């Protein structure tokens, strides 16, 4: 298996622009997680899905952030409009049954908002 | 109650030494405690995990010690090697998700 795939790997954009991050989870995994990693706040859970349904979005910073999972093999995290404080590494992870078990992380998307 | 507190923030150990990283949790509903290892430019990867029904788990040079009454657990890396230099995250598993500690940056000097 190719593991969790994320794209793009790097994104540089200007403040106010829309940013879309993409994730393909490992086939057969029922859970998908979006995390944000910064030096100041560490690894933060933004939202997670179970069987394509959003379960907990309490970590989403504000309305500028949205996430979708239209099918079992694809998810997006969108930031509109982006701000410099959104600069971080965004990870997608997937997990088989019971999301609290082993999570398999993708390589991350490094986002820089100028 | 959902926090997992991790210390130290950074650690420097000589090659061959023992690295020790500590974590504490508050929520007694947590029942799965993994450690993740992250190399620069990579995503975190599971290193070792323990459940609260045992007090210790060892896999090669890596050992988790778990103290249920104190709500603390720690990672010990024996015979630390330069290749172990990475960031380590503890986590605690509750219903359907993990809560991560803030990470420890380990540097093993040659």
């Amino acid at each position: 298996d190719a593991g969790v795939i994320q794209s793009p790997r790097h994104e540089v954009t200007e403040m106010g622009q829309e940013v879309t991050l993409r994730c393909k989870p490992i086939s057969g995994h029922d859970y998908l997680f979006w995390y944000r990693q910064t030096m100041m706040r560490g690894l933060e859970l933004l939202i997670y899905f179970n069987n394509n349904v959003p379960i907990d979005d309490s970590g989403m910073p504000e309305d500028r952030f949205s996430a979708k999972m239209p099918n079992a093999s694809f998810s997006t995290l969108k930031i509109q409009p982006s701000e410099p404080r959104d600069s971080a590494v965004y990870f997608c992870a997937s997990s088989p049954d019971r999301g609290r078990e082993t999570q398999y992380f993708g390589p991350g998307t490094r986002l820089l908002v100028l | 109650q959902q926090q997992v507190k991790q210390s130290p923030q950074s650690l420097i150990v000589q090659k061959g030494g023992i690295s020790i990283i500590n974590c504490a949790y508050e929520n007694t509903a947590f029942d799965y405690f993994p450690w993740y290892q992250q190399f620069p430019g990579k995503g975190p990867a599971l290193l070792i995990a323990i459940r609260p029904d045992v007090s210790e788990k060892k896999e090669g040079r890596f050992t988790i010690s778990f103290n249920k009454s104190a709500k603390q657990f720690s990672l010990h890396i024996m015979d630390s090697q330069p290749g172990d230099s990475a960031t380590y995250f503890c986590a605690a598993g509750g219903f359907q998700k993990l809560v991560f500690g803030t990470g420890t940056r380990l540097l093993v000097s040659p």
Side-chain angles (χ1 to χ4, degrees):
Chain A
D1 200 317
V4 175
I5 299 173
Q6 290 187 248
S7 65
R9 293 294 311 276
H10 303 272
E11 177 80 30
V12 180
T13 190
E14 292 188 348
M15 182 174 63
Q17 295 297 307
E18 178 180 292
V19 175
T20 299
L21 311 181
R22 297 171 177 80
C23 175
K24 177 179 170 55
I26 294 173
S27 177
H29 283 191
D30 294 331
Y31 289 84
L32 184 140
F33 303 81
W34 282 101
Y35 291 90
R36 178 171 68 177
Q37 185 175 39
T38 61
M39 290 294 293
M40 291 297 296
R41 300 175 69 91
L43 199 60
E44 301 174 275
L45 176 64
L46 300 177
I47 185 172
Y48 77 92
F49 296 82
N50 178 214
N51 292 324
N52 313 336
V53 177
I55 302 300
D56 184 350
D57 65 354
S58 60
M60 297 286 262
E62 48 199 273
D63 292 345
R64 297 185 297 107
F65 285 69
S66 62
K68 294 182 179 180
M69 192 165 185
N71 57 62
S73 59
F74 183 66
S75 178
T76 60
L77 178 67
K78 186 176 295 187
I79 309 173
Q80 168 62 20
S82 59
E83 296 182 3
R85 60 191 168 124
D86 301 330
S87 298
V89 181
Y90 290 81
F91 288 103
C92 174
S94 70
S95 178
D97 290 348
R98 303 175 71 186
R100 66 199 178 116
E101 302 288 336
T102 303
Q103 294 185 17
Y104 298 83
F105 282 76
T109 295
R110 186 173 295 272
L111 173 64
L112 178 61
V113 183
L114 302 174
Chain B
Q1 261 204 333
Q2 287 290 80
Q3 275 192 321
V4 176
K5 296 181 180 179
Q6 183 171 347
S7 63
Q9 189 174 15
S10 62
L11 182 62
I12 300 175
V13 174
Q14 286 194 336
K15 179 182 176 181
I18 302 173
S19 304
I20 302 174
I21 305 170
N22 301 298
C23 283
Y25 64 98
E26 297 175 351
N27 191 339
T28 55
F30 290 145
D31 62 355
Y32 176 68
F33 302 90
W35 285 88
Y36 280 74
Q37 180 187 54
Q38 183 181 26
F39 293 105
K42 305 291 186 181
L46 180 68
L47 182 64
I48 185 173
I50 196 169
R51 298 192 185 280
D53 53 341
V54 295
S55 61
E56 186 176 281
K57 182 174 182 179
K58 184 176 181 180
E59 290 185 359
R61 297 184 294 108
F62 301 91
T63 300
I64 299 178
S65 296
F66 184 80
N67 186 327
K68 188 174 181 178
S69 61
K71 292 186 284 186
Q72 295 176 347
F73 58 110
S74 60
L75 175 69
H76 296 236
I77 306 175
M78 310 300 288
D79 187 26
S80 298
Q81 298 297 312
D84 297 331
S85 297
T87 299
Y88 293 81
F89 293 92
C90 63
F95 179 68
Q96 290 191 335
K97 64 182 182 181
L98 295 174
V99 178
F100 283 86
T102 51
T104 296
R105 183 170 293 185
L106 171 66
L107 177 63
V108 180
S109 59

